Amino acid sequence: MQETGSGGQEPEELPEFQDLKVRGRSVRTWAISAGAVLLVISAAFGGLKKAADETPQVDAGTAIDTGQFEVTVQRVVTVKDLKPLFTPDDGGVLIAVVTKLKVTDDAGTTPPSDLIRLIGVPGVQDTDPPLGTTNLRDATMSPVLTPDAAEDVAYVWKLPKASRFPTEVKLTVQGYKHEDESILDHHEKWLPDTIAAESTVAVKAK
């Protein structure tokens, strides 16, 4: 029995979706191009990160867990001298980030030089390590910290001569990750990880 309505002709096969053409290009090509554009745009604005992945912004006085340490930035001060430990250049001053620093690991250690960084401070590169650290309790340079015993430790930099010194600074606090066995020497150690927190702190002159 012959089918009616189509003159007996077989219906034409519909083209596959990926074979459809739009302005001379396949839909699949357009989709790939759009995806590439999305990635470029998202990268320009910090990638496809969620807000929760951003570095926490904390105020002075807030305890920060860095993995190896609990760090509380207490204040930032500029001073004309810290003899005999630190001396500024002619016309300059010293700037110190005073922290409450406690080792949360089970082994004592000295304050790491990369723990605190000043960001955007004229005369100091963002990657510049401090001149050194000192325990305010006994003026010990590079003090040895014992587990669970919090100490007031200052990180000190030089500021060159300037007509005006900063009234506030932005700083970062480095986070650390524990490695059970280092690739280099096969010993367990703490290694720098992501930035644990950022803070903007008013600067007091003394």
Side-chain angles (χ1 to χ4, degrees), residues 26-43:
S26 71
V27 171
R28 181 174 181 175
T29 302
W30 279 108
I32 293 172
S33 299
V37 170
L38 175 61
L39 288 175
V40 170
I41 293 174
S42 65

Side-chain angles (χ1 to χ4, degrees), residues 76-79 91-97 118-124 157-171 200-206:
V76 179
V77 298
T78 56
V79 293
V93 297
L94 300 173
I95 184 167
V97 179
L118 299 178
I119 305 299
V121 176
V124 179
W157 287 260
K158 286 182 180 180
L159 287 182
K161 182 179 180 179
S163 57
R164 294 180 61 188
F165 294 111
T167 57
E168 69 174 21
V169 297
K170 180 180 177 181
L171 56 87
T200 300
V201 186
V203 178
K204 298 179 181 179
K206 285 193 173 183

Side-chain angles (χ1 to χ4, degrees), residues 111-157:
S113 63
D114 61 352
L115 178 64
I116 305 292
R117 285 290 182 268
L118 299 178
I119 305 299
V121 176
V124 179
Q125 296 295 319
D126 293 354
T127 55
D128 283 351
L131 293 175
T133 59
T134 180
N135 188 331
L136 300 188
R137 176 172 54 81
D138 56 11
T140 303
M141 287 188 64
S142 301
V144 176
L145 305 174
T146 57
D148 294 324
E151 297 281 3
D152 293 330
V153 176
Y155 280 71
V156 183
W157 287 260

Side-chain angles (χ1 to χ4, degrees), residues 88-118:
D89 294 332
D90 290 342
V93 297
L94 300 173
I95 184 167
V97 179
V98 180
T99 68
K100 179 74 72 175
L101 191 54
K102 181 171 71 173
V103 179
T104 54
D105 190 26
D106 57 5
T109 186
T110 57
S113 63
D114 61 352
L115 178 64
I116 305 292
R117 285 290 182 268
L118 299 178

Side-chain angles (χ1 to χ4, degrees), residues 105 173 181 194:
D105 190 26
V173 179
E181 185 174 327
T194 56

